[in-house]
Amino acid sequence: MKLKTLAWTAAATAATAAAGGAATDPNSSWYRQLRKPDWQPPALAFPVVWTALYADLAVSSAAALDSSNGEDSGNRKTSGTGAGSQKPGGTARKQEIRAYRGALATNFVLNAAWSWLFWRSRRPWLAAAEAAVLAASSTDLVRRTYRLNQRAGVSLAPYAAWCGFATILSTAIARLNPGTGIQQK
């Protein structure tokens, strides 16, 4: 993969993390007062897991984007018939990359938005619904990544799995705290 592509995906991923992080406040009295499921991971798990997932997202996305240039495509076939038959620089491949960039940008926005809906808006149900959309977007991103670079797609699968887990956790918190909405700090 090209360093320029990795720098771009790393910067976009870091901006996403920073945007979400700006809204996150696990020490707020509002959050501390929320009831949480017994199976919620410890607070330290979240920054550790998200850091690893963001790094994976940056690298996997860069690998997928550079697969369009005929570079290492994770053993993807580039001749024959079927979905893998597109030539690396062909028109269909360029459209696939353009669509991938759009899906990646959408995923970044959804990723950062969850923190603003949960932490700042204090709307657990809305955040849970948004988390479900993020999980679907992440699953689609894994699919798209796999089409461009199989190894990168497999590598990105934990991101979609964690977003699915985040949906379940967000929903559990919303259920445990009915009527939770904007409250004074």
Side-chain angles (χ1 to χ4, degrees):
M1 98 185 63
K2 295 179 182 175
L3 186 56
K4 180 180 176 181
T5 307
L6 180 59
W8 179 86
T9 59
T13 304
T16 298
T24 303
D25 187 5
N27 295 319
S28 70
S29 61
W30 174 80
Y31 180 71
R32 287 193 318 265
Q33 292 173 10
L34 289 177
R35 293 178 55 215
K36 296 159 198 88
D38 294 338
W39 47 268
Q40 177 173 314
L44 181 60
F46 293 96
V48 171
V49 169
W50 275 113
T51 298
L53 292 173
Y54 283 140
D56 180 40
L57 181 58
V59 172
S60 296
S61 297
L65 288 167
D66 280 345
S67 293
S68 67
N69 297 322
E71 295 182 8
D72 180 13
S73 62
N75 298 323
R76 181 175 175 195
K77 294 179 183 177
T78 56
S79 62
T81 60
S85 67
Q86 299 172 20
K87 292 183 180 176
T91 303
R93 187 72 161 177
K94 289 177 183 175
Q95 290 173 342
E96 189 175 9
I97 291 296
R98 194 174 312 117
Y100 183 87
R101 285 187 183 118
L104 181 60
T106 297
N107 189 270
F108 285 149
V109 170
L110 290 168
N111 185 300
W114 181 90
S115 294
W116 288 90
L117 292 172
F118 185 84
W119 298 102
R120 292 297 168 127
S121 295
R122 298 180 175 180
R123 301 285 187 187
W125 277 113
L126 186 56
E130 197 274 350
V133 175
L134 173 60
S137 170
S138 299
T139 300
D140 178 61
L141 191 61
V142 169
R143 179 191 64 82
R144 289 173 185 273
T145 303
Y146 186 84
R147 282 183 50 84
L148 293 169
N149 183 307
Q150 290 177 356
R151 285 189 293 252
V154 170
S155 175
L156 191 57
Y159 173 65
W162 184 262
C163 290
F165 172 74
T167 301
I168 294 166
L169 179 58
S170 294
T171 302
I173 291 172
R175 283 185 181 151
L176 289 169
N177 299 279
T180 302
I182 300 174
Q183 299 171 4
Q184 295 297 324
K185 292 182 180 178

